[in-house]
Amino acid sequence: MVWLILFVSVTYVVYTLKLVSSSKPCNNEDPFNDLHHISSLPLNNTFINGGNSATIQNQMGSSSLLEKIPEKTGLKHIVFGIAASSNLWEKRKNYIKLWWKPREMRGIVWLDKALKTKGDEGIPPLKISGDTSRFSYTNRQGHRSAIRISRIVSETLRLGLKDVRWFVMGDDDTVFVAENLVRVLSKYDHNQFYYIGSLSESHLQNIYFSYGMAYGGGGFALSYPLAVALDKMQDRCIQRYPGLYGSDDRMQACMSELGVPLTKELGFHQYDVYGNLFGLLAAHPVTPLVTLHHLDVVEPIFPNVTRVQALQRLMIPMQLDSAGLMQQSICYDKTNRWTVSVSWGFAVQIFRGVFSPREIEMPSRTFLNWYRKADYTAYAFNTRPVTRNPCQKPFVYYMSKARLDSSSNQTVSQYVKYRVAHPPCKWKMTDPAGVDTVVVFKRPDPYIWDKSPRRNCCRILPSKKRGSMLVDVGVCREGEISEI
């Protein structure tokens, strides 16, 4: 019995030694090494948003496992070049004051000649553009200041500012929604060549100039390496196009020589129109609102106030929920058979009867083409006529005030009826004239543009207050669509 126990013990020891000597050393194919543990790290905001790389290294236990994750693009990575005229500066600087954030933004206002300043007015520094008299300009309809303006990106680049990812161009009457500009530019790799902007609303403008051109008043962005490449060749390029009209078509000509096409973002708005922007703003495309332009040409976006006062009112919802500003929602009051369109932060419309979303999402023709003799076929997008049927004329409610309810984390915006005469209607249905105010509840969603584009849904809520309609706006629920 003792010999049997001894034999089994020796066999066990020999077998164990053989197993240990034949095992492979740990290497990167070991399923239990650090690289395979990456997926088990806590996905906090620092990790997902590319924040503090040291924190990530500490979590992983090794700084060599991942390359440094780049910081997410922010306002500090953008430099603005603003084209301004000394003759119009005293008036137009008020537009810049509305959106400029001195402690968060960098940029230069480029003027044609020196002006007397009044100290710190909360605007970017003023500089005088370089002399362009050596360049030829032969367009009889334009002005040679176009050459000066076209060189603003290059002149801003030469200032040698650090940590720049994007140069953004705009006019002194261009209003930027800065947070939405960041959202748009963050989608693109700033290390690559990008020329980002949008077209004119006028089909004829796009034909005369180019459908591949970013219109300068609507604003456009150039990535840093593209600005460097432009700077190296722009002066030679400008000499080759003395007959072009403006600065933006000169810029596009140079982009074409560099082989860089326009990347279109519909939130940059040139607004080559006259009249009332209501139809365009109430049916804004499903994309972030980035810029508004030609504000001296069109009527104030809110009635019965000045242009600057109207924009000041727009700043209230912009600060509460910039991502949702002007975004349209379409729903139906089934009891009254009304169609309701909410342009959040701007206006609400109530229509008698049922209109399809396909109709309501088209801008109504409250504006005129840049070429006054052109009709509605001269737009670069679909429009719908202002109805002639008195019963189908919408009741319009403009945003009067907005706030954030911290207890529910919802914005509460109030829209007051625009009191204009409505022709008598013989339809046997409830008259929206009894609604004096519309209150809209909406939860801010700063990450809505990180998802695939989709219009928000709205729902009519029961209201106990006479003359008031309550509406809830938010991300569409599972299976929810705009139907009656």
Side-chain angles (χ1 to χ4, degrees), residues 55 73 83 97 126 147 162 167 173 185 266 273 295 305 307 336 373-374 384 425 441 454 467:
T55 302
T73 294
K97 289 180 182 179
L126 308 183
I147 296 175
K162 303 299 182 183
F167 290 96
D173 63 339
L185 297 183
L266 297 179
V273 296
L295 298 169
V305 293
R307 290 175 173 85
N336 297 306
K373 293 183 179 180
R384 60 183 171 88
C425 173
F441 301 93
R454 186 183 181 186

Side-chain angles (χ1 to χ4, degrees), residues 101-247:
K101 302 178 181 180
R103 296 182 180 180
E104 300 178 48
M105 296 178 175
R106 294 185 292 173
I108 303 293
V109 173
W110 293 92
L111 290 160
D112 49 346
K113 61 183 180 181
L115 292 174
K116 292 182 179 179
T117 59
K118 299 178 182 179
D120 185 10
E121 295 187 86
I123 55 177
L126 308 183
K127 287 188 176 294
I128 309 305
S129 298
D131 180 35
T132 59
S133 59
R134 69 185 186 278
F135 297 101
S136 176
Y137 186 86
T138 60
N139 191 296
R140 295 182 179 180
Q141 295 178 316
H143 193 278
R144 64 174 300 109
S145 62
I147 296 175
R148 172 183 77 84
I149 295 172
S150 69
R151 301 176 74 246
I152 284 179
V153 171
S154 293
E155 292 192 327
T156 306
L157 171 72
R158 293 168 194 168
L159 296 176
L161 300 175
K162 303 299 182 183
D163 198 21
V164 180
R165 296 183 181 181
W166 297 95
F167 290 96
V168 173
M169 175 76 180
D171 286 354
D172 50 5
D173 63 339
T174 304
V175 170
F176 285 88
V177 183
E179 294 79 6
N180 285 343
L181 174 65
V182 171
R183 289 184 176 99
V184 169
L185 297 183
S186 295
K187 299 190 301 182
Y188 300 98
D189 182 357
H190 59 274
N191 296 305
Q192 305 297 320
F193 281 16
Y194 275 108
Y195 167 48
I196 300 172
S198 193
L199 308 178
S200 170
E201 291 72 25
S202 170
H203 177 53
L204 297 178
Q205 283 280 85
N206 293 324
I207 289 176
Y208 293 153
F209 295 100
S210 174
Y211 264 100
M213 180 182 90
Y215 280 71
F220 63 84
L222 297 184
S223 58
Y224 183 86
L226 179 55
V228 171
L230 173 69
D231 178 50
K232 293 177 181 178
M233 54 81 74
Q234 187 176 23
D235 285 356
R236 301 195 309 275
C237 173
I238 289 174
Q239 292 282 30
R240 289 189 279 272
Y241 301 97
L244 293 181
Y245 175 87
S247 60

Side-chain angles (χ1 to χ4, degrees), residues 416-433:
V416 176
K417 182 165 65 176
Y418 181 46
R419 298 190 180 278
V420 293
H422 275 256
C425 173
K426 297 181 180 180
W427 286 2
K428 294 181 179 180
M429 63 187 310
T430 309
D431 190 347

